[in-house]
């Protein structure tokens, strides 16, 4: 039995909670001043408004930090003097907060793992990047790997600074995809088909394309070239993308997100 404490339970925290609670080997407790009543009622678990209401924090094997970067300093101040067990591991999904900063915030815990999952964890299709502190035990590494494997695929990183790159690509990636889908829907609506039909055909086109490339041995470039036959409609559309330098736009998108991740990590 693994005793897990969630500190905060926003969108990503809720996604993880929803997946992990299905495992009967997990006993989960949540502290969230805004959602504790809802969580307690929905999941039939212990949920508290404040950490002060927890009788014994020494029972927890895993503590998940799932608060926003803007609130982390204020929230963790309440946990600074709490005595967690020596084998406890802190798991942080807070963007931009380095391990050394977290160790100062919760000095009584020495084992920490930073994780950058993404929102498809809600449907079990997340990409999670993990980087541990030096003294994190293999047992804790394995436990956290197994937990995040329940919501998607998992990659270990060798250096903490690489998590900023992962944040720009994968952490923020679904946001880019959703924005592009919305733009494609707006463009399709201008052509005159029914709005609801456009939403369905664009979504299915995306799903079908992803499944095709997933099962194909061909590269994305090769597949695009095969569809864009000379003198055809796809070639005409791709010419516009090339003319407007879509590669440069996406490169700037990732670089901007990466710079922001670095900036947040320095605060």
């Amino acid at each position: 039995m693994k005793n897990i404490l969630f500190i905060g339970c926003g969108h990503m925290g809720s996604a993880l909670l929803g997946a992990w609670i299905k495992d009967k080997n997990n006993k989960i407790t949540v502290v969230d001043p805004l959602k504790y009543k809802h969580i307690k009622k929905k999941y039939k678990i212990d949920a508290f408004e404040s950490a002060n209401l927890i009788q014994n924090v020494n029972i927890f094997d895993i503590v998940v930090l799932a608060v926003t970067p803007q609130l982390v300093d204020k929230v963790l101040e309440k946990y600074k003097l709490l005595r967690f067990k020596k084998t406890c591991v802190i798991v942080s999904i807070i963007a931009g907060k380095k391990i050394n900063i977290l160790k100062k915030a919760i000095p009584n815990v020495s084992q920490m793992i930073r994780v950058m999952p993404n929102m498809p964890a809600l449907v079990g299709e997340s990409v999670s990047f993990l980087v541990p502190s030096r003294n994190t035990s293999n047992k804790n590494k394995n436990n956290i790997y197994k937990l995040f494997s329940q919501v998607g695929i998992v990659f270990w990183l060798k250096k903490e600074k690489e998590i900023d790159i992962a944040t720009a690509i994968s952490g923020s990636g679904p946001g880019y995809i959703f924005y592009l889908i919305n733009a494609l829907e707006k463009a399709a609506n201008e052509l005159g088909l029914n709005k609801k039909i456009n939403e369905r055909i664009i979504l299915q086109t995306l799903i079908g394309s992803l499944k095709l490339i997933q099962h194909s041995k061909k590269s994305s470039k090769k597949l695009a070239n095969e569809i864009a036959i000379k003198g055809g409609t796809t070639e005409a559309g791709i010419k516009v993308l090339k003319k407007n330098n879509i590669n440069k736009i996406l490169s700037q998108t990732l670089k901007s997100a990466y710079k922001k991740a670095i900036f947040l990590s320095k605060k």
Side-chain angles (χ1 to χ4, degrees):
M1 177 70 71
K2 293 187 289 291
N3 278 290
I4 303 172
L5 172 64
F6 274 80
I7 300 176
C9 200
H11 293 301
M12 185 56 66
S14 295
L16 298 176
L17 172 62
W20 296 352
I21 204 165
K22 296 174 184 176
D23 187 340
K24 300 303 180 183
N25 291 316
N26 298 329
K27 187 178 187 306
I28 300 176
T29 303
V30 176
V31 175
D32 189 301
L34 299 178
K35 299 173 66 176
Y36 73 98
K37 289 182 180 179
H38 168 73
I39 291 169
K40 191 171 186 176
K41 182 178 180 180
K42 180 177 180 179
Y43 296 107
K44 311 300 181 186
I45 60 175
D46 290 333
F48 301 99
E49 184 178 11
S50 170
N52 298 331
L53 299 174
I54 300 175
Q55 291 184 350
N56 182 19
V57 298
N58 196 43
I59 65 170
F60 297 113
D61 304 297
I62 299 165
V63 177
V64 181
L65 303 182
V67 299
T68 62
Q70 295 81 5
L71 295 175
V72 63
D73 294 332
K74 182 179 179 181
V75 171
L76 294 189
E77 185 66 30
K78 301 173 184 177
Y79 295 83
K80 197 165 189 175
L81 299 178
L82 296 184
R83 293 288 176 180
F84 294 97
K85 64 167 70 173
K86 288 185 178 181
T87 56
C88 177
V89 60
I90 298 286
V91 176
S92 173
I93 61 172
I94 304 170
K97 290 299 179 181
K98 291 183 177 180
I99 287 173
N100 64 340
I101 299 297
L102 297 175
K103 282 187 174 181
K104 291 178 181 177
I106 308 180
N108 294 320
V109 179
S110 61
Q111 299 187 61
M112 297 195 174
I113 298 178
R114 276 188 69 190
V115 185
M116 176 47 63
N118 61 11
M119 281 310 296
L122 283 165
V123 290
E125 295 291 347
S126 177
V127 179
S128 298
F129 292 89
L130 283 64
V131 57
S133 61
R134 289 182 180 180
N135 55 338
T136 301
S137 69
N138 288 331
K139 180 180 179 180
N140 276 330
K141 289 178 186 177
N142 290 334
N143 283 337
I144 302 310
Y145 181 90
K146 289 176 182 178
L147 282 173
F148 280 90
S149 292
Q150 292 178 17
V151 294
I153 61 174
V154 180
F155 296 94
W156 286 103
L157 300 176
K158 292 182 178 180
K159 300 177 181 178
E160 189 174 7
K161 65 180 181 181
E162 292 176 334
I163 211 161
D164 291 330
I165 302 174
T167 299
I169 300 170
S170 177
S172 299
Y176 313 147
I177 300 299
F178 299 147
Y179 189 89
L180 290 172
I181 290 172
N182 181 251
L184 194 56
E185 287 172 350
K186 289 179 178 178
N189 291 340
E190 292 176 2
L191 296 179
L193 269 185
N194 180 275
K195 182 179 178 181
K196 291 295 182 182
I197 293 177
N198 283 334
E199 290 176 356
R200 291 184 64 186
I201 62 176
I202 288 171
L203 182 59
Q204 185 56 42
T205 299
L206 179 63
I207 292 171
S209 300
L210 291 176
K211 286 186 176 180
L212 176 59
I213 193 171
Q214 191 175 35
H215 292 91
S216 175
K217 294 182 179 179
K218 299 175 182 178
S219 67
S220 55
K221 183 178 180 180
K222 177 71 174 175
L223 288 170
N225 288 337
E226 287 184 354
I227 297 174
I229 59 174
K230 190 172 180 61
T233 59
T234 308
E235 182 193 49
I238 288 178
K239 278 183 178 179
V240 176
L241 294 177
K242 288 180 177 179
K243 183 179 179 181
N244 287 278
N245 210 336
I246 186 67
N247 290 336
K248 184 178 180 181
I249 291 172
L250 292 177
S251 176
Q252 290 175 338
T253 298
L254 293 185
K255 287 177 180 177
S256 179
Y258 176 49
K259 289 178 180 178
K260 186 65 172 183
I262 294 173
F263 172 75
L264 289 174
S265 70
K266 291 180 178 179
K267 293 186 71 176

